[in-house]
């Protein structure tokens, strides 16, 4: 069943969403899949690198912003799947996830629908989810910078696939955009009757 335009997808209690890519963001971009080994780092392109090695940088960046929720915006939504992917994160981050940009109930699960979703540029995948989810403020952390809608490019924190969140400049930009998103939220205390 598809959600209607008037019923946004769940964002939890937050009005701030961080769209999180994985490859090139929380670990090096050189990720491979093998039917026996599963998902792993390329031993030639990413020697000495490990999956999810930069997650502590994400935790540190999000600590001052407990209201920020996460949406998985990665091919990992499809393989190995949203649930299996989220379980790879520390418990504190698992609790922040409210969904992924790929939804079986929205996009269907047949091979044609999956291929169609995969062929859509990442920026369009994220923008389509923003339009369904309707967060008050959002940021995307991604190393795929091609074909983002010009009207929302300022929401993108672009990573270099070799360094991802290990780059201080990326972390600084993420913090600045999280602070800006937080400032755009209404002050709940001022809206409460006295």
């Amino acid at each position: 069943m598809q959600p209607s335009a008037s019923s946004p997808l769940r964002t939890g209690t937050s009005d701030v969403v961080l769209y999180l890519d994985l490859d090139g963001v929380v670990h090096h971009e050189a990720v491979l899949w093998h039917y026996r080994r599963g998902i792993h780092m390329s031993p030639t392109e990413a020697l000495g690198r490990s999956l999810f090695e930069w997650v502590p940088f994400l935790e540190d960046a999000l600590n001052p912003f407990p209201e920020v929720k996460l949406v998985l915006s990665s091919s990992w939504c499809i393989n190995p799947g949203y649930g299996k992917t989220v379980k790879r994160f520390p418990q504190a981050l698992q609790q922040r996830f409210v969904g992924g940009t790929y939804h079986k109930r929205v996009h269907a699960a047949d091979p044609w629908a999956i291929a169609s979703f995969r062929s859509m540029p990442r920026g369009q995948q994220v923008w389509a989810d923003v339009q369904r989810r309707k967060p008050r403020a959002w940021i995307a952390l991604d190393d795929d910078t091609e074909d983002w809608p010009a009207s929302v490019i300022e929401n993108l924190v672009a990573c270099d696939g070799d360094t991802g969140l290990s780059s201080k400049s990326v972390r600084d930009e993420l913090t600045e955009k999280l602070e800006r998103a937080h400032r755009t939220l209404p002050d709940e205390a001022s809206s409460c009757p006295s």
Side-chain angles (χ1 to χ4, degrees):
M1 178 175 128
Q2 286 192 343
S4 70
S6 62
S7 70
L9 297 171
R10 182 173 73 98
T11 58
T13 59
S14 175
D15 285 328
V16 180
V17 170
L18 175 63
Y19 286 87
L20 181 65
D21 182 25
L22 301 183
D23 303 340
V25 176
V26 298
H27 49 243
H28 193 280
E29 67 186 351
V31 175
L32 303 174
W33 181 87
H34 185 271
Y35 74 98
R36 283 192 198 138
R37 278 187 76 186
I39 297 173
H40 61 282
M41 298 305 298
S42 167
T44 56
E45 294 180 51
L47 185 63
R49 308 273 38 127
S50 60
L51 294 173
F52 298 90
E53 69 180 307
W54 301 322
V55 165
F57 293 121
L58 179 64
E59 289 180 292
D60 289 346
L62 291 177
N63 276 339
F65 307 98
E67 75 287 350
V68 174
K69 299 298 181 185
L70 298 173
V71 173
L72 184 63
S73 61
S74 168
S75 61
W76 289 55
C77 283
I78 297 169
N79 186 21
Y82 172 79
K84 288 180 180 178
T85 300
V86 170
K87 287 179 183 176
R88 291 176 173 246
F89 283 88
Q91 186 65 35
L93 289 180
Q94 287 181 33
Q95 294 172 357
R96 289 180 181 257
F97 278 95
V98 295
T101 52
Y102 175 79
H103 311 271
K104 286 182 184 177
R105 66 183 176 162
V106 172
H107 301 102
D110 62 77
W112 181 87
I114 291 171
S116 176
F117 181 80
R118 283 183 188 250
S119 69
M120 184 187 305
R122 179 67 53 74
Q124 292 177 18
Q125 292 173 6
V126 169
W127 181 235
D129 192 87
V130 167
Q131 292 176 311
R132 284 189 302 271
R133 203 173 294 277
K134 301 186 184 318
R136 183 181 306 272
W138 64 276
I139 301 159
L141 190 56
D142 210 309
D143 70 326
D144 182 346
T145 60
E146 298 293 318
D147 298 319
W148 281 76
S151 61
V152 298
I153 196 73
E154 71 275 358
N155 294 71
L156 173 65
V157 177
C159 295
D160 179 299
D162 290 333
T163 56
L165 276 168
S166 72
S167 165
K168 185 173 182 330
S169 63
V170 166
R171 295 193 309 271
D172 289 347
E173 182 180 357
L174 176 60
T175 297
E176 186 272 322
K177 288 187 176 183
L178 286 167
E179 288 171 350
R180 185 180 330 144
H182 183 73
R183 286 192 302 268
T184 65
L185 296 178
D187 183 6
E188 292 176 322
S190 67
S191 63
C192 295
S194 44

